[in-house]
Amino acid sequence: MVVAVPAQDEAATIETCLQHVMRAAARAVEHAHADVVVAVAAHRCRDATEQLSRDLLGRAAYPGVRGLVFADHDATTVGEVRARLIERVAAEVPMRVDTWIFNTDADSAVSSDWITRTLEQAEHTDARLVLGLVDLDRWTAPPSALEAYARLVSEGMRPGGHDHVYGANLAVRWDVYRQVGGFTAELPEDRGLVNRVRAAQHRVLSTLEPVVLTSSREQGRSGAGLADLLALLSGTQVVTER
């Protein structure tokens, strides 16, 4: 299994993110009896994100869990960052056709059962891609924005599932990922991948749990992301850095 984490200037959040990811990875090793690679792409970082990632992954002593950190100075979109990160992991680590690639974001915190619960649901439904939900971490927006966001989330819910796509809570099997061309430079990159998997007639499962806690910041690192939606709803200026 692989957990892929793109990160750009995330020194304030990367340690919390990786601590949660490592706990989930350790639990997966124990329950699934399979090794887990936790990989970070430090994308055009101007802060200590890369070094903090190396330090934390280097000193974490979880049997069966390996950490990798790559610097990415050239990618122009988060889709490219995700794609290059996964390619670089595949170049170093043997990937079986049934290897699962878990994706989250550096401003997010996964639950300890994030990997194990997702795998259980995929196995029971024969899914090849699993979409989870996110909760916002302390979004202090005007009441009208809070109501608008709640309405959008509610409108995307359906019995036993949902229509939402979050790169912070998405898992896909390696053989299907390769078949459909993986992540691309398009925005939003996560929805593009999901659409291609569906077009190839593979089963996509949307789940209500586990939920990933993610930042409620309104200054996005990528276009067409959650931060941009929150900024639009609250009426603040959108700042795109990638």
Side-chain angles (χ1 to χ4, degrees):
M1 287 172 282
V2 174
V3 181
V5 186
Q8 184 186 65
D9 294 339
E10 299 285 9
T13 61
I14 191 65
E15 290 183 290
T16 297
C17 168
L18 292 180
Q19 286 167 354
H20 281 79
V21 166
M22 294 293 279
R23 283 195 287 268
R27 181 166 176 173
V29 170
E30 178 182 350
H31 287 261
H33 304 292
D35 291 350
V36 180
V37 174
V38 178
V40 176
H43 178 224
R44 299 195 325 215
C45 290
R46 297 160 294 184
D47 65 3
T49 296
E50 181 178 353
Q51 190 58 53
L52 288 170
S53 300
R54 293 188 187 280
D55 290 346
L56 180 61
L57 294 178
R59 67 174 180 265
Y62 292 106
V65 181
R66 177 184 178 187
L68 295 173
V69 181
F70 302 99
D72 185 336
H73 302 294
D74 304 315
T76 57
T77 70
V78 66
E80 285 186 277
V81 176
R82 292 190 195 277
R84 289 185 181 194
L85 175 58
I86 293 169
E87 288 169 5
R88 293 173 82 170
V89 172
E92 291 210 14
V93 179
M95 303 280 272
R96 304 186 340 180
V97 294
D98 61 349
T99 294
W100 277 85
I101 303 169
F102 286 77
N103 298 272
T104 191
D105 291 334
D107 63 345
S108 301
V110 305
S111 61
S112 61
D113 66 345
W114 178 54
I115 297 175
T116 54
R117 181 69 177 131
T118 300
L119 288 176
E120 288 173 1
Q121 294 177 92
E123 180 179 353
H124 291 159
T125 61
D126 200 31
R128 294 296 181 266
L129 187 149
V130 181
L131 298 170
L133 293 171
V134 302
D135 274 343
L136 297 180
D137 185 14
R138 301 185 300 272
W139 188 31
T140 55
S144 59
L146 297 174
E147 292 171 5
Y149 180 76
R151 185 167 58 252
L152 287 174
V153 172
S154 178
E155 289 172 352
M157 304 301 290
R158 52 184 170 76
H162 59 86
D163 297 322
H164 299 293
V165 177
Y166 301 101
N169 194 358
L170 184 156
V172 59
R173 222 174 75 157
W174 171 242
D175 55 345
V176 171
Y177 177 85
R178 285 192 306 168
Q179 179 192 342
V180 303
F183 287 112
T184 68
E186 67 186 321
L187 293 174
E189 84 292 345
D190 43 14
R191 190 168 290 277
L193 174 64
V194 172
N195 289 342
R196 291 194 302 279
V197 170
R198 285 188 168 128
Q201 299 186 332
H202 294 291
R203 180 170 176 77
V204 174
L205 175 68
S206 61
T207 66
L208 304 181
E209 58 178 21
V211 176
V212 169
L213 183 67
T214 196
S215 169
S216 60
R217 66 188 177 196
E218 297 173 6
Q219 292 188 340
R221 299 291 197 268
S222 64
L226 178 60
D228 301 286
L229 171 62
L230 300 183
L232 177 64
L233 294 177
S234 65
T236 59
Q237 183 179 3
V238 177
V239 177
T240 302
E241 299 184 5
R242 275 200 179 119

